[in-house]
């Protein structure tokens, strides 16, 4: 079985995204949030069958861990109440996708967050989606949208959320959203900056001494971390931290959303196979065809199959590691 650990509903029905625009307009104008629209099952099917489902079939992917569109979380827009409403309708829409296509998708949730606000609402949403059978959540380490006003992921502010995740045996993908800072392109800079920043925060702290069962996924191949692995090993030594394999990598995992063969080759050479989850981010940040290969940039299965790996290592990346990190998938065939 081939499990894609990183998929977003980037093709959600227009009525869903239009409601978000109306919600934010009502908030800014002091009006009443409109009722959420009725979205027919056929409208959901239409958005998926020509996109994610078609590409799953073409690329041989069996199951995608599927969450709301990351760039649309936009925790810096509106306030906490708008974020709560947006997270709930977005997660409910993901649940409907899974009801329609239970063999193709497993649900991952968006959390309600807002700059400077406590995480009580996020904790409540973890409890809610856990009861709905969700397999994981996405956690935004920078709800300010590029201003980085939130404390590090190792700060006690985050602990109630981690406690809820451990209680329900849910992992979290550390994934930022859109940025309000024009110097950071969202997918080309802000995402990769955040991945790298999150790893360094975890290196500097001792989070997993307090939460040994917590599992965090850093997407997009871990940002700059694998490329500068020697730097981070050296920094751990300079800061008096244990070696990275025991200090961080027992609880942290990277996906394979890296869109060229040399990048994947470096990733699998530097990072232990047990810490890698197959991911494509399809349909996501890079949608075009690579003129040097004739294949889609985000068809990452090709890179894993061409990498210097044995069958056992590929099996771990394609399926085994995902089932270990996302234990709610174990019941799926």
């Amino acid at each position: 079985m081939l499990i894609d650990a990183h998929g977003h509903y980037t093709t959600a029905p227009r009525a869903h995204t239009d409601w978000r625009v109306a919600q934010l307009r009502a908030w800014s104008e002091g009006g009443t949030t409109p009722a959420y629209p009725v979205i027919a099952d056929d409208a959901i099917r239409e958005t998926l069958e020509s996109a994610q489902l078609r590409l799953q079939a073409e690329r041989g992917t069996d199951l995608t861990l599927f969450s709301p569109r990351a760039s649309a979380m936009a925790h810096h827009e509106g306030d906490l109440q708008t974020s709560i409403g947006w997270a709930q309708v977005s997660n409910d829409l993901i649940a409907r996708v899974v009801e329609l296509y239970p063999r193709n998708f497993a649900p991952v949730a968006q959390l309600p967050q807002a700059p400077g606000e406590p995480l009580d609402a996020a904790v409540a949403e973890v409890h809610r989606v856990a009861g709905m059978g969700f397999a994981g959540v996405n956690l935004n380490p920078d709800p300010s949208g590029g201003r980085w006003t939130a404390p590090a992921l190792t700060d006690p502010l985050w602990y109630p959320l981690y406690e809820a995740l451990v209680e329900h045996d849910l992992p979290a993908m550390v994934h930022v959203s859109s940025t309000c800072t024009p110097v950071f392109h969202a997918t080309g800079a802000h995402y990769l900056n955040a991945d790298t920043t999150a790893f360094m925060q975890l290196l500097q702290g001792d989070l997993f001494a307090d939460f040994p069962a917590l599992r965090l996924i850093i997407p997009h191949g871990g940002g700059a971390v694998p490329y500068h692995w020697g730097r981070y090993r050296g920094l751990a030594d300079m800061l008096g931290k244990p070696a990275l394999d025991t200090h961080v990598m027992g609880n942290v995992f990277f996906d394979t959303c890296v869109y060229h063969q040399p990048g994947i080759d470096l990733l699998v050479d530097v990072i232990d196979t047990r810490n890698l989850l197959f991911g494509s981010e399809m349909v996501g940040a890079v949608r075009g065809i690579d003129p040097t290969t004739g294949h889609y940039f985000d068809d990452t299965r090709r890179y894993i199959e061409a990498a210097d790996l044995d069958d056992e290592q590929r099996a771990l990346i394609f399926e085994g590691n995902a089932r270990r990190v996302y234990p709610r998938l174990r019941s799926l065939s």
Side-chain angles (χ1 to χ4, degrees):
M1 189 175 196
L2 200 160
I3 299 173
D4 187 338
H6 191 165
H8 299 296
Y9 199 179
T10 53
T11 59
R14 179 67 179 271
H16 175 73
T17 55
D18 284 350
W19 181 84
R20 171 62 165 172
V21 172
Q23 182 208 34
L24 290 175
R25 183 185 302 116
W27 173 80
S28 66
E29 297 175 352
T32 302
T33 301
Y36 187 74
V38 175
I39 299 176
D41 287 350
D42 284 346
I44 296 174
R45 292 189 180 99
E46 182 179 357
T47 64
L48 294 166
E49 291 181 358
S50 61
Q52 286 89 350
L53 288 169
R54 175 180 62 83
L55 291 171
Q56 277 187 344
E58 291 178 359
R59 300 178 186 182
T61 306
D62 297 298
L63 181 74
T64 299
L65 285 151
F66 208 52
S67 62
R69 186 174 187 172
S71 62
M73 295 189 299
H75 294 114
H76 60 283
E77 298 184 15
D79 59 14
L80 182 58
Q81 289 305 310
T82 59
S83 184
I84 292 171
W86 180 228
Q88 289 178 348
V89 298
S90 297
N91 293 336
D92 290 347
L93 185 61
I94 292 294
R96 290 186 61 193
V97 168
V98 175
E99 288 176 1
L100 292 172
Y101 300 100
R103 294 187 178 182
N104 298 91
F105 301 104
V108 173
Q110 168 181 330
L111 295 179
Q113 298 176 242
E117 296 287 353
L119 291 168
D120 298 24
V123 171
E125 188 65 3
V126 167
H127 292 312
R128 188 179 82 95
V129 298
M132 297 166 63
F134 275 59
V137 304
N138 289 339
L139 167 61
N140 188 350
D142 174 37
S144 69
R147 295 189 176 95
W148 285 97
T149 58
L153 291 169
T154 53
D155 189 272
L157 169 80
W158 303 95
Y159 277 29
L161 177 59
Y162 299 151
E163 290 168 357
L165 293 174
V166 171
E167 175 185 346
H168 294 291
D169 207 10
L170 292 172
M173 178 172 282
V174 181
H175 203 310
V176 289
S177 185
S178 54
T179 171
C180 57
T181 306
V183 297
F184 292 147
H185 183 276
T187 57
H190 185 46
Y191 281 18
L192 305 182
N193 293 346
D195 303 333
T196 309
T197 298
F199 185 86
M200 188 62 202
Q201 290 178 357
L202 296 172
L203 185 158
Q204 290 176 274
D206 294 294
L207 176 64
F208 302 117
D210 290 335
F211 294 96
L214 180 65
R215 301 179 302 283
L216 301 177
I217 302 93
I218 297 180
H220 318 114
V225 174
Y227 187 71
H228 290 286
W229 193 243
R231 175 181 293 257
Y232 293 105
R233 289 176 55 240
L235 285 168
D237 181 65
M238 290 173 60
L239 293 170
K241 299 297 183 181
L244 292 180
D245 59 344
T246 56
H247 181 52
V248 177
M249 298 308 288
N251 303 78
V252 172
F253 306 86
F254 300 158
D255 70 20
T256 64
C257 294
V258 178
Y259 297 140
H260 66 148
Q261 191 65 52
I264 288 291
D265 291 342
L266 182 142
L267 180 66
V268 302
D269 184 50
V270 172
I271 303 301
D272 192 301
T273 304
R274 293 170 297 180
N275 292 89
L276 297 175
L277 307 179
F278 173 72
S280 71
E281 208 175 352
M282 175 270 294
V283 181
V286 179
R287 305 188 184 191
I289 293 176
D290 186 342
T292 66
T293 66
H295 300 292
Y296 284 98
F297 281 101
D298 64 359
D299 187 0
T300 54
R301 177 179 181 174
R302 294 178 178 275
Y303 309 137
I304 302 301
E305 291 180 335
D308 184 17
L309 297 164
D310 60 34
D311 290 344
E312 182 179 354
Q313 290 173 313
R314 286 194 187 87
L316 285 174
I317 293 172
F318 281 145
E319 178 181 6
N321 292 337
R323 290 189 181 277
R324 178 164 51 90
V325 175
Y326 291 85
R328 290 177 176 234
L329 297 179
R330 289 175 186 158
S331 61
L332 299 175
S333 58

